[in-house]
Amino acid sequence: MAKVIVTGGMGFIGYHLTKALTKEGEHVYVIDKKIFPHTDLAKIEDLRDVVNRIQPDGIIDLATLPLNTSITEPFYVINQLHLMICNLLDLLKSG
């Protein structure tokens, strides 16, 4: 049984993925603003804290920002998603 972090696990795809992984016997940890409102995945310190506490075998990144923000502030959303992915890759690279 693997420990898997699913970012954005409260969204449509994340919910169904989490359900399927759990059914397969995996230990799933959902990281989502709806569950952890003070965790900002665009901040490497927050992401590092979550990963260090859970020590996952895998991470599935489905995190995004609300649709209305994507429409009204598309460049902000692109920047935030870029930061989240870069932080995640940097953290995984450093072990």
Side-chain angles (χ1 to χ4, degrees):
M1 289 186 203
K3 291 191 287 186
V4 180
I5 290 176
V6 177
T7 65
M10 294 294 291
F12 181 79
I13 295 171
Y15 169 79
H16 289 286
L17 175 65
T18 298
K19 191 173 169 182
L21 289 170
T22 303
K23 188 176 180 180
E24 292 294 318
E26 308 300 348
H27 291 285
V28 180
Y29 299 84
V30 173
I31 308 301
D32 195 288
K33 280 285 192 190
K34 294 173 186 168
I35 299 172
F36 297 100
H38 302 292
T39 300
D40 185 351
L41 298 179
K43 294 181 181 175
I44 191 130
E45 301 83 20
D46 288 5
L47 185 59
R48 183 178 289 119
D49 181 52
V50 168
V51 170
N52 286 340
R53 277 189 283 134
I54 297 172
Q55 296 290 307
D57 298 303
I59 300 174
I60 300 171
D61 180 30
L62 299 174
T64 190
L65 296 172
L67 179 61
N68 62 335
T69 307
S70 299
I71 293 168
T72 60
E73 301 178 70
F75 293 110
Y76 171 76
V77 171
I78 290 168
N79 185 48
Q80 291 300 104
L81 293 176
H82 182 255
L83 280 173
M84 284 187 250
I85 291 169
C86 286
N87 286 341
L88 183 59
L89 291 173
D90 190 46
L91 185 63
L92 294 173
K93 183 176 97 174
S94 66

